[in-house]
Amino acid sequence: VLTQSPLSVPVALGQPASISCNSSQSLVYTDGNTYLNWLQQRPGLSPRRLIYKVSKRDSGVPDRFSGSGSVTDFTLKISRVEAEDVGVYYCVQGTQWPLITFGQGTRLEIK
Amino acid sequence: QVQLQESGPRLVRPSQTLSLTCTVSGDSIRSGDHFWGWFRQSPAKGLEWMGNIYHSGSTNYKPSLKSRLVMSVDTSKNQFSLRLTSVTAADTAVYYCARDKSVYDSNGLLDYWGPGMMVTVSS
C-alpha cells in the first residue's frame, strides 16, 4: 500500500512544495532497482510520468521537479511552483509488477 | 513519439460487457519490447491497474477483476483490447491504456498513456 501525504497542498507561486509517499513494504527489487515513479495529472488530462526509479527525471520535465527517497519513504519536491504545476500527483510502484499500485494522489493548488 | 488512443462505447448497460480498444502508434506491439496495460480512474477507487498483455497474448490481471476481465491483442492492427463482463455502476470510470513495462529497459514503466475515455454504466 502506498500512502501519500498531504492529500492537498496549497502553495504560493514561486514557493517550494513537497509530497511524501510511504510504502508498507520495501520497494527495492531483487535487481537492486527501486521502481517508484511519480506521475502528474493536470486537470482534464491523462497522467504523465515525471520521475522514474525514485529520482530520474523524464525528458522535458523541468529541473524544479526532483525525486528522492529509498526503501519505503519517498518524496517529490518542486523547488519553485509555477501555475502549470496545478494538478494531482501520484506515486506508483512497479516493484511488485505485474501488480502495479498507486498512491491516493495529492492535489496541488495555488494559494 | 509513442501515442495511444482508447476507443469504444461510452455508455454500457448494467450486466452487459464493456469493450474498449487501444490503438498504438509510434511503437510496435509485435516487437515484444513492452507489456501493454489497462487502467481506470474513479473518484471512489482512484487510479487502478486492471491488467496487461504481451504481444504473445500472455496476460496478467488484477485478482479482483480476473473473473470478469479478458484482454486480447491484434498485432496486425497494433491494437490491444479489454472486455469487462457483468458491469455495474461501480465500473463507471475513465479508462486509460498505457505502455505498461519494458521487457528490456528497467527505465520503461508507465511512460506513455492514452488520453483516456469516460465510460458510464447506466440503464
Side-chain angles (χ1 to χ4, degrees), chain A residues 31 33 35 37 39 41 44-49 52-53 56 58 90 92-94 97-103, chain B residues 35 39 41 46-49 52 60-63 96 100-101 105-116:
Chain A
D31 66 0
N33 287 310
Y35 294 100
N37 294 354
L39 309 177
Q41 188 172 30
L45 297 181
S46 59
R48 165 200 181 196
R49 195 178 75 173
Y52 60 95
K53 291 200 294 190
K56 300 181 184 303
D58 269 283
Y90 296 91
V92 52
Q93 68 79 25
W97 191 92
L99 297 179
I100 293 171
T101 55
F102 298 84
Chain B
F35 282 79
F39 300 78
Q41 184 174 34
L47 272 168
E48 178 184 19
W49 173 80
N52 59 39
N60 296 290
Y61 298 143
K62 183 172 183 176
Y96 296 99
D100 188 299
K101 175 190 169 182
D105 179 1
S106 67
N107 298 333
L109 178 71
L110 303 183
D111 51 357
Y112 291 98
W113 292 70

Side-chain angles (χ1 to χ4, degrees), chain B residues 50-51 61-62 65-71 82-84:
Chain B
M50 300 179 70
Y61 298 143
K62 183 172 183 176
L65 296 173
K66 194 170 184 177
S67 63
R68 300 193 292 132
L69 184 57
V70 175
M71 293 184 182
L82 166 155
R83 281 170 51 88
L84 184 66

